[in-house]
């Protein structure tokens, strides 16, 4: 069991930012990643559609014998974490809960802003969970639906992107946030421009590291850490594969012997 | 047979610009529109995936007893027009062929630029078809993958959109185009900004009107025009339905008694 892979899934390639953090934290673990590039983006779809798609991805990874599931997508985590957890026979780690815990555990955070897809923000899940841990934090949020296409088109350092960052983040600046949560796995690729716009005063938090920590804790607690000293096996599966997807993948997932292939979910 | 609806399909809501032109040209015809909002956008996907999805949409409309099929999507038209035509038992009108014929029939057009999704431009279909009719035209093209998300997010008059129009269209200006084909059904919503950037010298051509003309011709030639004087019935079916989709739909498809609903393709 312990040398089985960790299964990580996302609507597309964004979740690779989480997969990278997990492989850094846990270099002996094999990873099987599944990105639903045939139906990305999820962040503009209805909750029912997102949950139906997410269940199909879960089934696929469970059939591929993973020992743990990581929902490396904020939209899926916010909308159907509980459903997936009930459905799965292996432990499930999502990206929202560890991030919220990380924020809640830091007493210097008083005014937090959360940015994500329309579906994530509309779900209200970040605020609900955060208030469970810390009633005293002021919460502000903003949906940034153009950030995913900007990243996927490679416009991570364009003047238009700077203007859109200003458009979306200005209200949060007016709210005097002290911290900003990047509640979408694509957004870390915009971090340099977001940092420039926000200045040094505002802390930027992404889900990748708190999630990697949570994966380590769950594996350790369940006695599932891999003790096999052989090289881990990395597999990246996508439901559609184009040149653009390959380019973006190699930007995020670097320097590793990896098997990348197109798979069919056989719906 | 003649009072059956025209079936129109697209990856999302963009095809409603074509549906509107058809309903204006043919006010007695009923229309059943199918938008695959559950899997939009198609323009960044592989040809195999686009054709598989398009066939599923075709089957759905054929089961709903349409008398004619309109492929109101440039990406599907460019990638799998022939496949759909072979597959369908009713006549098929696509958006690419009528637009190319319209361009080819105008002798003052000498240097034409075509903009569309990545999949449309990479297919090379516009150039191949155009050269079939007019060997003397100079052809230039540019994929504009961010235009669809900009339109879908409602940024049709934003400074960032102006910058991206400049980014994408500048090379075509350098090529001294005299005409620009908007080879994506979303792009007419950016026409005012594109017009401002291009100036009055460059003609802007969209697919909606040539396609509506072609629909009329095919119905007339096949003796399928509706002669029933009752009010036409409009149905807009979507595979996913969110507030954003409803807002965008009401922007493009105006002032009509219309049945809008979410349908399942039962894959």
């Amino acid at each position: 069991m312990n040398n089985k892979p960790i299964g990580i899934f996302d609507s597309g390639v964004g979740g690779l930012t989480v997969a990278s953090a997990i492989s850094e934290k846990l270099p002996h673990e094999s990873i099987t990643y599944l990105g639903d590039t045939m139906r990305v983006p999820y962040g503009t779809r209805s909750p029912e559609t997102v949950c139906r798609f997410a269940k199909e991805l879960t089934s696929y990874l469970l059939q591929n014998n993973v020992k743990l599931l990581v929902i490396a997508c904020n939209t899926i985590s916010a909308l159907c974490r509980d459903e997936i957890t009930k459905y799965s026979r292996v432990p499930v780690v999502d990206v929202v809960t560890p991030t919220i815990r990380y924020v809640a555990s830091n007493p210097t955070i008083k005014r937090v802003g959360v940015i994500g897809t329309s579906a994530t923000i509309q779900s209200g899940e970040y605020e609900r969970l955060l208030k469970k841990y810390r009633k005293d934090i002021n919460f502000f949020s903003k949906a940034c639906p153009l950030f995913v296409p900007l990243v996927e088109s490679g416009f991570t350092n364009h003047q238009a992107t700077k203007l859109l960052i200003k458009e979306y983040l200005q209200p949060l600046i007016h709210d005097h946030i002290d911290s900003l949560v990047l509640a979408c796995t694509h957004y870390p690729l915009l971090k340099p421009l977001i940092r420039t716009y926000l200045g040094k005063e505002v802390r930027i938090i992404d889900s990748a590291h708190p999630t990697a920590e949570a994966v380590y804790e769950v594996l350790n607690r369940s006695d599932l850490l891999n003790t096999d000293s052989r090289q881990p096996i990395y597999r990246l599966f996508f439901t559609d594969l184009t040149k653009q997807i390959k380019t973006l993948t190699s930007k995020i997932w670097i320097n590793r012997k990896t098997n990348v292939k197109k798979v069919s979910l056989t719906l």
Side-chain angles (χ1 to χ4, degrees), chain A residues 13-243:
Chain A
V13 297
L16 288 171
T17 57
V18 178
S20 297
I22 292 171
S23 79
E24 270 166 42
K25 173 82 191 166
L26 296 157
H28 302 297
E29 300 295 335
S30 291
I31 287 175
T32 300
Y33 180 92
L34 176 59
D36 194 10
T37 45
M38 168 177 95
R39 302 184 293 198
V40 73
Y42 282 13
T44 49
R45 315 214 187 278
S46 69
E48 306 79 56
T49 295
V50 170
C51 295
R52 181 157 75 78
F53 290 173
K55 264 189 159 171
E56 290 164 5
L57 302 181
T58 302
S59 294
Y60 185 91
L61 285 175
L62 291 176
Q63 279 161 26
N64 275 266
N65 267 318
V66 297
K67 64 179 175 184
L68 175 96
L69 272 178
V70 180
I71 310 177
C73 169
N74 283 270
T75 302
I76 303 173
S77 298
L79 297 178
C80 36
R81 183 185 58 247
D82 292 347
E83 222 172 304
I84 301 294
T85 306
K86 261 182 227 160
Y87 185 71
S88 169
R89 60 172 186 272
V90 301
V92 176
V93 173
D94 73 295
V95 285
V96 176
T97 318
T99 310
I100 289 289
R101 280 201 185 132
Y102 176 81
V103 170
S105 70
N106 188 328
T108 67
I109 299 180
K110 309 272 190 207
R111 303 177 72 80
V112 67
V114 171
I115 56 172
T117 65
S118 302
T120 298
I121 298 307
Q122 277 165 27
S123 76
E125 192 59 14
Y126 267 87
E127 184 166 17
R128 199 188 62 74
L129 258 183
L130 187 62
K131 296 277 169 168
K132 215 171 98 179
Y133 294 101
R134 279 268 306 274
K135 292 216 177 355
D136 64 313
I137 285 187
N138 288 292
F139 180 88
F140 308 93
S141 68
K142 181 78 184 162
C144 309
L146 279 165
F147 283 178
V148 171
L150 283 166
V151 167
E152 298 214 328
S153 301
F155 283 66
T156 49
N157 194 25
H158 194 274
Q159 191 57 34
T161 311
K162 291 179 193 168
L163 284 176
L164 290 166
I165 286 173
K166 189 180 168 205
E167 171 78 35
Y168 288 134
L169 301 191
Q170 203 159 39
L172 298 175
I173 294 282
H174 288 162
D175 291 329
H176 303 289
I177 55 166
D178 55 46
S179 309
L180 180 72
V181 176
L182 309 183
C184 172
T185 53
H186 278 81
Y187 297 1
L189 285 96
L190 295 176
K191 206 168 167 178
L193 290 195
I194 291 176
R195 164 60 63 218
T196 304
Y197 177 68
L198 290 179
K200 285 180 191 164
E201 300 300 297
V202 179
R203 188 184 338 227
I204 299 177
I205 298 157
D206 75 49
S207 312
H209 297 281
T211 304
E213 284 296 332
V215 168
Y216 167 77
E217 280 163 31
V218 173
L219 288 180
N220 190 32
R221 195 195 318 140
S222 323
D223 218 7
L224 281 172
L225 284 166
N226 188 19
T227 49
D228 195 328
S229 62
R230 276 173 297 186
Q231 281 293 307
I233 297 164
Y234 297 125
R235 288 189 196 88
L236 307 186
F237 294 160
F238 296 102
T239 53
D240 197 15
L241 211 44
T242 61
K243 205 179 135 195

